[in-house]
Amino acid sequence: MAYFHELSSRVSFQEARLACESEGGVLLSLENEAEQKLIESMLQNLTKPGTGISDGDFWIGLWRNGDGQTSGACPDLYQWSDGSSSQYRNWYTDEPSCGSEKCVVMYHQPTANPGLGGPYLYQWNDDRCNMKHNYICKYEPEINPTAPAEKPYLTNQPADTHQNVVVTEAGIIPNLIYVVIPTIPLLLLILVAFGTCCFQMLHKSKGRTKTSPNQSTLWISKSTRKESGMEV
């Protein structure tokens, strides 16, 4: 759902149709009342108090091609822009008015006074295709079941697009980092143990000192020995 706060930013039927198609979708088509109720509940959530969203009709994908049809045949000439054959309709009272109004909006005017058909909410009205409104796109189900579903978004510019989640694949280097980092404490422990072992071996080698072979082991007396019968 694309809602524009600024009236000048809202788009024509054709612009809304192209905006949906540029994102891989189509203007909304409705198959039955259950889908209609689903859209109504989404709009109710979108316009909760405090959201700043109020009046503003939404283009849907229903339109008719051709001029000069009588009012009696006119309702049967409307078709869905995505090729759907759905015959479900939810016209407001006395609609469609036909004439130059060929494109269809879903009413969303919660602050307007009710008309003959009640509040101008969620029922359909034909309008001139060059009028400026919000719009609702419809997409095929996601192929990847784990991918997040599209959510309604708000924008102030017609060219704004959904903000998609960007997924990037991790390369070899990030994977290596996840492997190396947990092994750092083990490497430090091995390094400390190796250093301790080397230190102990060095300490023991110093304790095993030996007498140098060139150091004299003879004791020389300083006193003079005199032998009997000899004169010096």
Side-chain angles (χ1 to χ4, degrees), residues 169-189:
E169 296 182 358
I172 296 177
I173 293 178
N175 289 333
L176 289 177
I177 291 176
Y178 288 124
V179 174
V180 172
I181 289 179
T183 62
I184 290 178
L186 178 60
L187 295 176
L188 291 176
L189 181 61

Side-chain angles (χ1 to χ4, degrees), residues 46-230:
L46 192 67
T47 56
K48 287 181 178 178
T51 61
I53 299 176
S54 57
D55 291 358
D57 299 336
F58 288 82
W59 287 121
I60 61 176
L62 194 64
W63 71 298
R64 64 179 173 86
N65 186 18
D67 296 317
Q69 288 85 8
T70 63
S71 59
C74 176
D76 298 331
L77 298 174
Y78 281 88
Q79 57 188 343
W80 296 104
S81 59
D82 65 350
S84 170
S85 60
S86 171
Q87 297 299 312
Y88 175 76
R89 302 291 186 267
N90 189 38
W91 296 110
Y92 190 79
T93 302
D94 296 333
E95 299 293 345
S97 54
C98 299
S100 60
E101 299 176 342
K102 303 177 184 178
C103 299
V104 178
V105 295
M106 182 180 291
Y107 271 139
H108 186 263
Q109 301 178 22
T111 65
N113 293 325
L116 295 176
Y120 293 98
L121 283 173
Y122 316 129
Q123 293 176 304
W124 305 353
N125 170 52
D126 57 343
D127 201 354
R128 296 193 302 276
C129 298
N130 61 351
M131 296 297 290
K132 307 294 185 178
H133 295 295
N134 308 302
Y135 60 91
I136 303 174
C137 297
K138 184 177 184 178
Y139 301 88
E140 292 291 335
E142 295 285 348
I143 296 176
N144 183 358
T146 61
E150 293 287 346
K151 297 181 179 180
Y153 73 103
L154 308 181
T155 180
N156 289 323
Q157 298 297 331
D160 288 347
T161 58
H162 297 277
Q163 295 181 349
N164 296 319
V165 177
V166 179
V167 179
T168 56
E169 296 182 358
I172 296 177
I173 293 178
N175 289 333
L176 289 177
I177 291 176
Y178 288 124
V179 174
V180 172
I181 289 179
T183 62
I184 290 178
L186 178 60
L187 295 176
L188 291 176
L189 181 61
I190 295 173
L191 183 61
V192 170
F194 180 78
T196 303
C197 182
C198 291
F199 177 80
Q200 290 179 351
M201 293 177 63
L202 181 62
H203 181 69
K204 290 180 179 179
S205 65
K206 288 184 178 180
R208 298 174 182 175
T209 57
K210 295 182 178 180
T211 304
S212 174
N214 61 3
Q215 181 180 358
S216 175
T217 59
L218 298 177
W219 177 77
I220 301 175
S221 176
K222 294 182 180 181
S223 61
T224 305
R225 296 179 63 183
K226 295 182 180 181
E227 294 183 5
S228 60
M230 295 185 67

